[in-house]
Amino acid sequence: AIQLTQSPSSLSASVGDRVAITCRASQGISSALAWYQQKLGKAPRLLIYDASSLQSGVPSRFSGSGSGTDFTLTISSLQPEDFATYYCQHFNSYPLTFGGGTKVEIK
Amino acid sequence: QVQLVESGGGVVQPERSLRLSCAASGFNFRNYAMHWVRQAPGKGLEWVAVISHDGSTKYYEDSVKGRFTVSRDNSKNTLYLQMNSLRAEDTAVYFCAKTTVTTVFDCWGQGTLVTVSS
């Protein structure tokens, strides 16, 4: 199975900060990567698919980049509603796997 | 709008069985593959199983192979997960999820909690 390693596992940031979360795949997955946001007690929400395509309705401050094994989710200017946990997920082949998550907390 | 509503969770003893359901509405259910994803308390997301749009193809995560069975009834717009020989490590919130043309989860249910405990 393809393993996804996210870093950092948590971070503290202030409103307005630029935040970057990385996801590394154990083997090349082309652009078959998605990013999700999950708030406490809620279902995840799709943010980015195909590594860099913004899901409809998601604010443009979210962006994704990368291909192969290294990927990044960037939030250009952190907003109060962005404090949550973020997960990457590959869809290169079965079994699908998720990264371990990155919790973004208020500084 | 697209809606997925899970049901069937609860407290069950180890080695017993439970069947989860996911009622879909707001989209053409029979056209889409459907998945189950779980999340243990305080932990990350774990993909569990997928079933193709017509039910002909299924894949499972290794730890549930031989114990869980995914199925669907397209006439009822409903997805199922039959869970047998349950273990403490199966304790989790179970989400059903719809995917796009690629295997990206664009819609999730609210989840149903399964607790395996004696």
Side-chain angles (χ1 to χ4, degrees):
Chain A
I2 296 171
Q3 296 180 15
L4 297 178
T5 303
Q6 279 184 241
S7 61
S9 55
S10 66
L11 64 90
S12 295
S14 301
V15 173
D17 283 354
R18 182 180 183 89
V19 167
I21 299 168
T22 64
C23 178
R24 174 162 289 177
S26 58
Q27 63 187 73
I29 57 171
S30 185
S31 297
L33 191 96
W35 290 95
Y36 301 86
Q37 175 194 68
Q38 187 180 33
K39 297 183 178 179
L40 196 63
K42 300 293 187 181
R45 172 196 181 195
L46 177 64
L47 300 175
I48 301 286
Y49 62 94
D50 294 348
S52 60
S53 296
L54 191 68
Q55 173 70 352
S56 175
V58 174
S60 59
R61 62 181 180 273
F62 290 93
S63 64
S65 63
S67 67
T69 59
D70 293 306
F71 302 87
T72 302
L73 173 71
T74 302
I75 309 172
S76 60
S77 177
L78 202 63
Q79 298 301 300
E81 60 268 30
D82 300 337
F83 292 96
T85 300
Y86 294 83
Y87 294 93
C88 57
Q89 174 239 328
H90 85 82
F91 49 97
N92 183 74
S93 58
Y94 288 106
L96 307 180
T97 54
F98 291 86
T102 297
K103 187 174 183 179
V104 176
E105 299 176 302
I106 301 173
K107 194 177 217 177
Chain B
Q1 82 265 21
V2 176
Q3 191 170 17
L4 298 170
V5 179
E6 301 94 336
S7 60
V11 180
V12 60
Q13 293 179 328
E15 294 305 313
R16 301 299 289 265
S17 299
L18 204 61
R19 188 177 84 155
L20 306 183
S21 299
C22 170
S25 60
F27 66 103
N28 199 340
F29 180 74
R30 64 181 65 244
N31 285 353
Y32 292 89
M34 295 293 296
H35 298 248
W36 289 98
V37 176
R38 67 184 178 183
Q39 187 169 36
K43 302 297 185 182
L45 300 167
E46 180 181 44
W47 174 79
V48 174
V50 59
I51 183 168
S52 60
H53 67 98
D54 61 358
S56 63
T57 303
K58 305 173 186 180
Y59 294 105
Y60 298 92
E61 191 269 330
D62 280 351
S63 71
V64 309
K65 276 180 190 174
R67 300 188 300 124
F68 290 12
T69 301
V70 60
S71 62
R72 65 192 295 159
D73 185 337
N74 285 344
S75 69
K76 295 182 178 179
N77 290 348
T78 303
L79 173 72
Y80 302 101
L81 185 68
Q82 177 67 42
M83 304 185 294
N84 298 332
S85 303
L86 281 161
R87 306 167 180 167
E89 54 265 37
D90 296 319
T91 294
V93 173
Y94 285 73
F95 297 99
C96 64
K98 167 189 169 292
T99 51
T100 62
V101 175
T102 54
T103 319
V104 172
F105 305 112
D106 64 340
C107 183
W108 300 66
Q110 85 288 352
T112 187
L113 176 62
V114 173
T115 303
V116 184
S117 174
S118 54

mmCIF file of all heavy atoms in Angstrom, chain B residues 21-51:
data_model
loop_
_atom_site.group_PDB
_atom_site.id
_atom_site.type_symbol
_atom_site.label_atom_id
_atom_site.label_comp_id
_atom_site.label_asym_id
_atom_site.label_seq_id
_atom_site.Cartn_x
_atom_site.Cartn_y
_atom_site.Cartn_z
ATOM 1 N N SER B 21 -26.120 1.188 7.145
ATOM 2 C CA SER B 21 -26.794 1.618 5.925
ATOM 3 C C SER B 21 -26.443 3.067 5.637
ATOM 4 O O SER B 21 -26.114 3.837 6.543
ATOM 5 C CB SER B 21 -28.308 1.492 6.062
ATOM 6 O OG SER B 21 -28.704 0.166 6.303
ATOM 7 N N CYS B 22 -26.511 3.424 4.373
ATOM 8 C CA CYS B 22 -26.275 4.804 3.943
ATOM 9 C C CYS B 22 -27.325 5.123 2.880
ATOM 10 O O CYS B 22 -27.287 4.560 1.784
ATOM 11 C CB CYS B 22 -24.869 4.952 3.388
ATOM 12 S SG CYS B 22 -24.540 6.530 2.565
ATOM 13 N N ALA B 23 -28.252 6.009 3.217
ATOM 14 C CA ALA B 23 -29.310 6.409 2.291
ATOM 15 C C ALA B 23 -28.861 7.625 1.494
ATOM 16 O O ALA B 23 -28.457 8.638 2.086
ATOM 17 C CB ALA B 23 -30.583 6.722 3.057
ATOM 18 N N ALA B 24 -28.924 7.516 0.180
ATOM 19 C CA ALA B 24 -28.449 8.583 -0.694
ATOM 20 C C ALA B 24 -29.616 9.299 -1.365
ATOM 21 O O ALA B 24 -30.630 8.675 -1.699
ATOM 22 C CB ALA B 24 -27.521 8.011 -1.759
ATOM 23 N N SER B 25 -29.451 10.589 -1.584
ATOM 24 C CA SER B 25 -30.453 11.369 -2.296
ATOM 25 C C SER B 25 -29.797 12.562 -2.964
ATOM 26 O O SER B 25 -28.683 12.955 -2.600
ATOM 27 C CB SER B 25 -31.554 11.839 -1.339
ATOM 28 O OG SER B 25 -31.013 12.651 -0.321
ATOM 29 N N GLY B 26 -30.480 13.118 -3.966
ATOM 30 C CA GLY B 26 -29.994 14.328 -4.622
ATOM 31 C C GLY B 26 -29.046 14.094 -5.784
ATOM 32 O O GLY B 26 -28.542 15.054 -6.360
ATOM 33 N N PHE B 27 -28.766 12.855 -6.106
ATOM 34 C CA PHE B 27 -27.925 12.541 -7.265
ATOM 35 C C PHE B 27 -28.316 11.163 -7.794
ATOM 36 O O PHE B 27 -29.037 10.417 -7.128
ATOM 37 C CB PHE B 27 -26.440 12.603 -6.909
ATOM 38 C CG PHE B 27 -25.971 11.542 -5.930
ATOM 39 C CD1 PHE B 27 -25.257 10.433 -6.372
ATOM 40 C CD2 PHE B 27 -26.221 11.656 -4.572
ATOM 41 C CE1 PHE B 27 -24.816 9.461 -5.474
ATOM 42 C CE2 PHE B 27 -25.799 10.700 -3.669
ATOM 43 C CZ PHE B 27 -25.093 9.595 -4.129
ATOM 44 N N ASN B 28 -27.813 10.839 -8.981
ATOM 45 C CA ASN B 28 -28.145 9.558 -9.596
ATOM 46 C C ASN B 28 -27.249 8.471 -8.999
ATOM 47 O O ASN B 28 -26.180 8.152 -9.530
ATOM 48 C CB ASN B 28 -27.980 9.651 -11.107
ATOM 49 C CG ASN B 28 -28.738 8.551 -11.824
ATOM 50 O OD1 ASN B 28 -29.079 7.532 -11.226
ATOM 51 N ND2 ASN B 28 -29.003 8.759 -13.103
ATOM 52 N N PHE B 29 -27.694 7.905 -7.901
ATOM 53 C CA PHE B 29 -26.914 6.963 -7.087
ATOM 54 C C PHE B 29 -26.325 5.834 -7.925
ATOM 55 O O PHE B 29 -25.151 5.470 -7.752
ATOM 56 C CB PHE B 29 -27.829 6.397 -6.002
ATOM 57 C CG PHE B 29 -27.182 5.404 -5.074
ATOM 58 C CD1 PHE B 29 -26.283 5.815 -4.097
ATOM 59 C CD2 PHE B 29 -27.500 4.048 -5.150
ATOM 60 C CE1 PHE B 29 -25.699 4.892 -3.231
ATOM 61 C CE2 PHE B 29 -26.934 3.129 -4.291
ATOM 62 C CZ PHE B 29 -26.028 3.548 -3.322
ATOM 63 N N ARG B 30 -27.088 5.295 -8.869
ATOM 64 C CA ARG B 30 -26.651 4.118 -9.615
ATOM 65 C C ARG B 30 -25.472 4.411 -10.548
ATOM 66 O O ARG B 30 -24.901 3.492 -11.127
ATOM 67 C CB ARG B 30 -27.799 3.527 -10.403
ATOM 68 C CG ARG B 30 -28.358 4.420 -11.496
ATOM 69 C CD ARG B 30 -29.531 3.769 -12.224
ATOM 70 N NE ARG B 30 -30.663 3.590 -11.348
ATOM 71 C CZ ARG B 30 -31.150 2.386 -11.024
ATOM 72 N NH1 ARG B 30 -30.581 1.299 -11.478
ATOM 73 N NH2 ARG B 30 -32.209 2.296 -10.240
ATOM 74 N N ASN B 31 -25.115 5.672 -10.711
ATOM 75 C CA ASN B 31 -24.019 6.034 -11.609
ATOM 76 C C ASN B 31 -22.659 6.154 -10.916
ATOM 77 O O ASN B 31 -21.649 6.373 -11.580
ATOM 78 C CB ASN B 31 -24.311 7.362 -12.303
ATOM 79 C CG ASN B 31 -25.357 7.228 -13.394
ATOM 80 O OD1 ASN B 31 -25.781 6.124 -13.728
ATOM 81 N ND2 ASN B 31 -25.781 8.366 -13.943
ATOM 82 N N TYR B 32 -22.638 6.050 -9.588
ATOM 83 C CA TYR B 32 -21.417 6.365 -8.846
ATOM 84 C C TYR B 32 -20.936 5.209 -7.976
ATOM 85 O O TYR B 32 -21.732 4.537 -7.310
ATOM 86 C CB TYR B 32 -21.631 7.577 -7.945
ATOM 87 C CG TYR B 32 -21.832 8.859 -8.717
ATOM 88 C CD1 TYR B 32 -23.110 9.244 -9.116
ATOM 89 C CD2 TYR B 32 -20.754 9.656 -9.067
ATOM 90 C CE1 TYR B 32 -23.301 10.414 -9.850
ATOM 91 C CE2 TYR B 32 -20.938 10.819 -9.787
ATOM 92 C CZ TYR B 32 -22.208 11.185 -10.179
ATOM 93 O OH TYR B 32 -22.385 12.339 -10.899
ATOM 94 N N ALA B 33 -19.604 5.024 -7.959
ATOM 95 C CA ALA B 33 -19.006 4.163 -6.961
ATOM 96 C C ALA B 33 -19.207 4.796 -5.585
ATOM 97 O O ALA B 33 -19.276 6.016 -5.469
ATOM 98 C CB ALA B 33 -17.517 3.977 -7.234
ATOM 99 N N MET B 34 -19.297 3.955 -4.573
ATOM 100 C CA MET B 34 -19.506 4.442 -3.214
ATOM 101 C C MET B 34 -18.506 3.775 -2.279
ATOM 102 O O MET B 34 -18.093 2.631 -2.486
ATOM 103 C CB MET B 34 -20.932 4.138 -2.750
ATOM 104 C CG MET B 34 -22.014 4.867 -3.525
ATOM 105 S SD MET B 34 -22.001 6.655 -3.272
ATOM 106 C CE MET B 34 -22.389 6.776 -1.524
ATOM 107 N N HIS B 35 -18.136 4.495 -1.231
ATOM 108 C CA HIS B 35 -17.095 4.055 -0.310
ATOM 109 C C HIS B 35 -17.565 4.134 1.133
ATOM 110 O O HIS B 35 -18.470 4.910 1.466
ATOM 111 C CB HIS B 35 -15.860 4.946 -0.449
ATOM 112 C CG HIS B 35 -15.219 4.920 -1.787
ATOM 113 N ND1 HIS B 35 -13.964 4.370 -2.008
ATOM 114 C CD2 HIS B 35 -15.639 5.400 -2.983
ATOM 115 C CE1 HIS B 35 -13.651 4.507 -3.281
ATOM 116 N NE2 HIS B 35 -14.649 5.127 -3.892
ATOM 117 N N TRP B 36 -16.868 3.362 1.972
ATOM 118 C CA TRP B 36 -16.931 3.526 3.420
ATOM 119 C C TRP B 36 -15.542 3.954 3.904
ATOM 120 O O TRP B 36 -14.526 3.377 3.497
ATOM 121 C CB TRP B 36 -17.348 2.235 4.104
ATOM 122 C CG TRP B 36 -18.780 1.875 3.894
ATOM 123 C CD1 TRP B 36 -19.290 0.999 2.981
ATOM 124 C CD2 TRP B 36 -19.907 2.394 4.616
ATOM 125 N NE1 TRP B 36 -20.660 0.933 3.072
ATOM 126 C CE2 TRP B 36 -21.062 1.787 4.077
ATOM 127 C CE3 TRP B 36 -20.069 3.306 5.669
ATOM 128 C CZ2 TRP B 36 -22.350 2.054 4.554
ATOM 129 C CZ3 TRP B 36 -21.339 3.586 6.133
ATOM 130 C CH2 TRP B 36 -22.467 2.961 5.590
ATOM 131 N N VAL B 37 -15.524 4.946 4.769
ATOM 132 C CA VAL B 37 -14.301 5.452 5.391
ATOM 133 C C VAL B 37 -14.575 5.530 6.887
ATOM 134 O O VAL B 37 -15.678 5.915 7.285
ATOM 135 C CB VAL B 37 -13.931 6.846 4.851
ATOM 136 C CG1 VAL B 37 -12.705 7.410 5.577
ATOM 137 C CG2 VAL B 37 -13.682 6.803 3.344
ATOM 138 N N ARG B 38 -13.599 5.164 7.713
ATOM 139 C CA ARG B 38 -13.827 5.217 9.155
ATOM 140 C C ARG B 38 -12.778 6.066 9.850
ATOM 141 O O ARG B 38 -11.719 6.351 9.303
ATOM 142 C CB ARG B 38 -13.865 3.814 9.750
ATOM 143 C CG ARG B 38 -12.555 3.064 9.709
ATOM 144 C CD ARG B 38 -12.742 1.640 10.249
ATOM 145 N NE ARG B 38 -11.512 0.863 10.187
ATOM 146 C CZ ARG B 38 -11.422 -0.418 10.533
ATOM 147 N NH1 ARG B 38 -12.488 -1.070 10.980
ATOM 148 N NH2 ARG B 38 -10.260 -1.042 10.445
ATOM 149 N N GLN B 39 -13.123 6.453 11.075
ATOM 150 C CA GLN B 39 -12.229 7.281 11.879
ATOM 151 C C GLN B 39 -12.368 6.861 13.338
ATOM 152 O O GLN B 39 -13.403 7.094 13.954
ATOM 153 C CB GLN B 39 -12.575 8.759 11.704
ATOM 154 C CG GLN B 39 -11.609 9.708 12.373
ATOM 155 C CD GLN B 39 -11.841 11.147 11.936
ATOM 156 O OE1 GLN B 39 -12.981 11.577 11.720
ATOM 157 N NE2 GLN B 39 -10.771 11.902 11.806
ATOM 158 N N ALA B 40 -11.328 6.223 13.863
ATOM 159 C CA ALA B 40 -11.313 5.844 15.269
ATOM 160 C C ALA B 40 -11.271 7.105 16.126
ATOM 161 O O ALA B 40 -10.790 8.157 15.682
ATOM 162 C CB ALA B 40 -10.106 4.960 15.553
ATOM 163 N N PRO B 41 -11.773 7.031 17.349
ATOM 164 C CA PRO B 41 -11.823 8.221 18.215
ATOM 165 C C PRO B 41 -10.457 8.891 18.346
ATOM 166 O O PRO B 41 -9.470 8.252 18.722
ATOM 167 C CB PRO B 41 -12.294 7.649 19.553
ATOM 168 C CG PRO B 41 -13.077 6.445 19.186
ATOM 169 C CD PRO B 41 -12.392 5.853 17.997
ATOM 170 N N GLY B 42 -10.392 10.170 18.001
ATOM 171 C CA GLY B 42 -9.155 10.925 18.118
ATOM 172 C C GLY B 42 -8.082 10.589 17.098
ATOM 173 O O GLY B 42 -6.956 11.074 17.201
ATOM 174 N N LYS B 43 -8.414 9.773 16.109
ATOM 175 C CA LYS B 43 -7.430 9.327 15.110
ATOM 176 C C LYS B 43 -7.750 9.878 13.729
ATOM 177 O O LYS B 43 -8.706 10.625 13.547
ATOM 178 C CB LYS B 43 -7.404 7.787 15.064
ATOM 179 C CG LYS B 43 -7.077 7.137 16.395
ATOM 180 C CD LYS B 43 -5.688 7.496 16.883
ATOM 181 C CE LYS B 43 -5.344 6.751 18.154
ATOM 182 N NZ LYS B 43 -3.991 7.133 18.677
ATOM 183 N N GLY B 44 -6.951 9.460 12.749
ATOM 184 C CA GLY B 44 -7.121 9.932 11.387
ATOM 185 C C GLY B 44 -8.128 9.109 10.598
ATOM 186 O O GLY B 44 -8.783 8.202 11.118
ATOM 187 N N LEU B 45 -8.221 9.436 9.316
ATOM 188 C CA LEU B 45 -9.167 8.781 8.426
ATOM 189 C C LEU B 45 -8.583 7.497 7.857
ATOM 190 O O LEU B 45 -7.389 7.442 7.531
ATOM 191 C CB LEU B 45 -9.530 9.731 7.281
ATOM 192 C CG LEU B 45 -10.186 11.049 7.704
ATOM 193 C CD1 LEU B 45 -10.194 12.033 6.541
ATOM 194 C CD2 LEU B 45 -11.599 10.807 8.213
ATOM 195 N N GLU B 46 -9.415 6.491 7.724
ATOM 196 C CA GLU B 46 -8.984 5.207 7.164
ATOM 197 C C GLU B 46 -10.030 4.725 6.165
ATOM 198 O O GLU B 46 -11.199 4.522 6.525
ATOM 199 C CB GLU B 46 -8.785 4.155 8.259
ATOM 200 C CG GLU B 46 -8.333 2.810 7.722
ATOM 201 C CD GLU B 46 -8.168 1.765 8.818
ATOM 202 O OE1 GLU B 46 -9.041 1.671 9.692
ATOM 203 O OE2 GLU B 46 -7.180 1.009 8.768
ATOM 204 N N TRP B 47 -9.601 4.531 4.915
ATOM 205 C CA TRP B 47 -10.496 3.976 3.918
ATOM 206 C C TRP B 47 -10.796 2.518 4.245
ATOM 207 O O TRP B 47 -9.896 1.776 4.666
ATOM 208 C CB TRP B 47 -9.846 4.096 2.538
ATOM 209 C CG TRP B 47 -10.615 3.425 1.455
ATOM 210 C CD1 TRP B 47 -11.719 3.897 0.809
ATOM 211 C CD2 TRP B 47 -10.329 2.142 0.895
ATOM 212 N NE1 TRP B 47 -12.145 2.985 -0.118
ATOM 213 C CE2 TRP B 47 -11.309 1.902 -0.092
ATOM 214 C CE3 TRP B 47 -9.359 1.171 1.112
ATOM 215 C CZ2 TRP B 47 -11.337 0.732 -0.852
ATOM 216 C CZ3 TRP B 47 -9.375 0.017 0.369
ATOM 217 C CH2 TRP B 47 -10.360 -0.203 -0.602
ATOM 218 N N VAL B 48 -12.051 2.093 4.042
ATOM 219 C CA VAL B 48 -12.472 0.747 4.417
ATOM 220 C C VAL B 48 -12.831 -0.107 3.194
ATOM 221 O O VAL B 48 -12.354 -1.241 3.066
ATOM 222 C CB VAL B 48 -13.686 0.802 5.364
ATOM 223 C CG1 VAL B 48 -14.235 -0.590 5.644
ATOM 224 C CG2 VAL B 48 -13.317 1.504 6.674
ATOM 225 N N ALA B 49 -13.686 0.421 2.329
ATOM 226 C CA ALA B 49 -14.179 -0.406 1.228
ATOM 227 C C ALA B 49 -14.786 0.467 0.138
ATOM 228 O O ALA B 49 -15.205 1.599 0.392
ATOM 229 C CB ALA B 49 -15.225 -1.401 1.720
ATOM 230 N N VAL B 50 -14.855 -0.111 -1.058
ATOM 231 C CA VAL B 50 -15.495 0.537 -2.200
ATOM 232 C C VAL B 50 -16.336 -0.488 -2.950
ATOM 233 O O VAL B 50 -16.000 -1.672 -2.967
ATOM 234 C CB VAL B 50 -14.455 1.162 -3.150
ATOM 235 C CG1 VAL B 50 -13.490 0.105 -3.685
ATOM 236 C CG2 VAL B 50 -15.121 1.904 -4.303
ATOM 237 N N ILE B 51 -17.408 -0.009 -3.544
ATOM 238 C CA ILE B 51 -18.220 -0.832 -4.431
ATOM 239 C C ILE B 51 -18.489 -0.021 -5.693
ATOM 240 O O ILE B 51 -18.804 1.171 -5.626
ATOM 241 C CB ILE B 51 -19.526 -1.286 -3.749
ATOM 242 C CG1 ILE B 51 -20.329 -2.216 -4.665
ATOM 243 C CG2 ILE B 51 -20.372 -0.100 -3.289
ATOM 244 C CD1 ILE B 51 -21.473 -2.935 -3.945
#
